[in-house]
């Protein structure tokens, strides 16, 4: 074997080792008193009854990724069907992003400075209370547990109400004031964004809500996403009743 071949082989093995070391595992757990159909991009989808967990391994360097929960779904034996909130292309296995309203856990792994960037976003509205937290890096400073557990569905302004959730104003009004479509600095907080921010201070409330809503952990951190973490408000009785009737 030539010196060049040995070097290339060693470099490849080292790169694979780094990638393997820095890959992240996401523990996705449903604590809700009803079934949640978890969705991930990348990752697909999984039905989670109360107390069930889905472990998702995500490659290092993955970006523009998200995890969310779908509610009131009905799928046939081939995995085709629809959900009231968070539906994605009409399938159990998601191939794209979900339809609002849906609470989002967003992340990008091993980015600038080998940091993971992560957040809870309400830019697509809210459907399920959520925790998004690191499990392997100390959990302090900008690497900390994020919670959005307020009764947003129950307190949702009339203009934003939707079946099973609460829309973000961009979804409803589709203007730059709420969607920031004209670029950086073209929008700011609004009455509706403050509704979300007051209830979930560490979550994105509108597209340019970066300073108080983006968090970082060292590359190689593992994470946990919990639907309905302890301390969440009571849930609509009809969702529990629908679950019992399945």
């Amino acid at each position: 074997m030539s010196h060049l071949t040995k070097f290339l082989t060693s470099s490849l093995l080292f790169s694979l080792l780094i990638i393997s070391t820095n890959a992240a595992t996401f523990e996705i757990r449903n604590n809700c008193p009803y079934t949640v159909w978890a969705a991930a991009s990348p990752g697909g989808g999984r039905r989670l009854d109360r107390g069930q967990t889905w472990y998702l391994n995500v490659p290092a360097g993955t970006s523009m990724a998200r995890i969310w929960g779908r509610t009131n779904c009905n799928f046939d034996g081939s995995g085709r069907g629809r959900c009231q909130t968070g539906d994605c292309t009409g399938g159990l296995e998601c191939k794209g992003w979900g339809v609002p309203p849906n609470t989002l856990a967003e992340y990008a792994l091993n980015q600038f400075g080998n940091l993971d960037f992560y957040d809870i976003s309400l830019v697509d509205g809210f459907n399920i209370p959520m925790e998004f937290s690191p499990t392997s890096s100390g959990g302090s400073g900008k690497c900390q547990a994020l919670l959005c557990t307020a009764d947003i569905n129950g307190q949702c302004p009339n203009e934003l109400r939707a079946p099973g959730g609460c829309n973000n104003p961009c979804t409803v009004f589709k203007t730059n004031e709420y969607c920031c479509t004209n670029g950086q600095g073209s929008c700011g907080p609004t009455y509706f964004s403050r509704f979300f921010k007051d209830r979930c201070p560490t979550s994105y409330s509108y597209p340019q809500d970066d300073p108080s809503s983006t968090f970082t952990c060292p590359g190689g951190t593992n994470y946990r996403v919990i639907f309905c973490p302890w301390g969440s408000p009571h849930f609509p009785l009809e969702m529990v009743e629908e679950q019992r009737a399945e």
Side-chain angles (χ1 to χ4, degrees), residues 103-106 117-123 126 129-134 140-150 152 193-216 229:
T103 317
L104 298 174
E106 300 180 315
F117 290 77
Y118 69 105
D119 64 80
I120 290 178
S121 175
L122 306 181
V123 171
F126 177 99
M130 179 183 286
E131 174 188 330
F132 188 10
S133 58
S140 60
K142 293 295 283 185
C143 183
Q144 60 180 274
L146 307 180
L147 290 167
C148 183
T149 60
I152 288 179
S193 73
R194 292 187 183 96
F195 164 79
F196 290 103
K197 198 67 173 178
D198 288 347
R199 289 155 180 79
C200 294
T202 59
S203 299
Y204 267 86
S205 60
Y206 70 100
Q208 294 183 14
D209 190 15
D210 302 87
S212 61
S213 307
T214 300
F215 295 81
T216 57

Side-chain angles (χ1 to χ4, degrees), residues 61-65 106-111 115-118 223:
T62 298
S63 62
M64 294 183 67
E106 300 180 315
Y107 64 92
L109 303 178
N110 311 99
Q111 302 297 302
L115 291 174
D116 296 344
F117 290 77
Y118 69 105
Y223 298 90

Side-chain angles (χ1 to χ4, degrees), residues 134-221:
T135 62
S136 60
S137 287
S140 60
K142 293 295 283 185
C143 183
Q144 60 180 274
L146 307 180
L147 290 167
C148 183
T149 60
D151 184 19
I152 288 179
N153 289 344
Q155 300 171 8
C156 185
N158 289 332
E159 300 93 325
L160 305 182
R161 288 187 177 274
C166 184
N167 276 317
N168 187 277
C170 177
T171 303
V172 176
F173 302 112
K174 299 179 174 62
T175 63
N176 179 72
E177 179 182 8
Y178 302 113
C179 302
C180 307
T181 49
N182 293 343
Q184 188 65 34
S186 66
C187 64
T190 65
Y191 165 78
F192 290 120
S193 73
R194 292 187 183 96
F195 164 79
F196 290 103
K197 198 67 173 178
D198 288 347
R199 289 155 180 79
C200 294
T202 59
S203 299
Y204 267 86
S205 60
Y206 70 100
Q208 294 183 14
D209 190 15
D210 302 87
S212 61
S213 307
T214 300
F215 295 81
T216 57
C217 286
T221 298

Side-chain angles (χ1 to χ4, degrees), residues 30-104:
N30 178 25
N31 281 351
C32 299
Y34 49 84
T35 298
V36 171
W37 285 262
S41 177
R46 182 77 59 88
R47 172 179 173 142
L48 295 179
D49 293 324
R50 184 177 189 176
Q52 289 187 323
T53 300
W54 174 26
Y55 290 94
L56 184 65
N57 294 313
V58 180
T62 298
S63 62
M64 294 183 67
R66 54 179 57 183
I67 296 168
W68 69 99
R70 296 168 287 175
T71 60
N72 292 332
C73 301
N74 187 12
F75 295 109
D76 62 21
S78 64
R80 302 297 300 171
R82 291 290 179 184
C83 300
Q84 184 181 52
T85 66
D87 186 76
C88 53
T89 63
L92 175 61
E93 290 288 334
C94 290
K95 304 300 182 184
W97 292 358
V99 177
N102 52 337
T103 317
L104 298 174

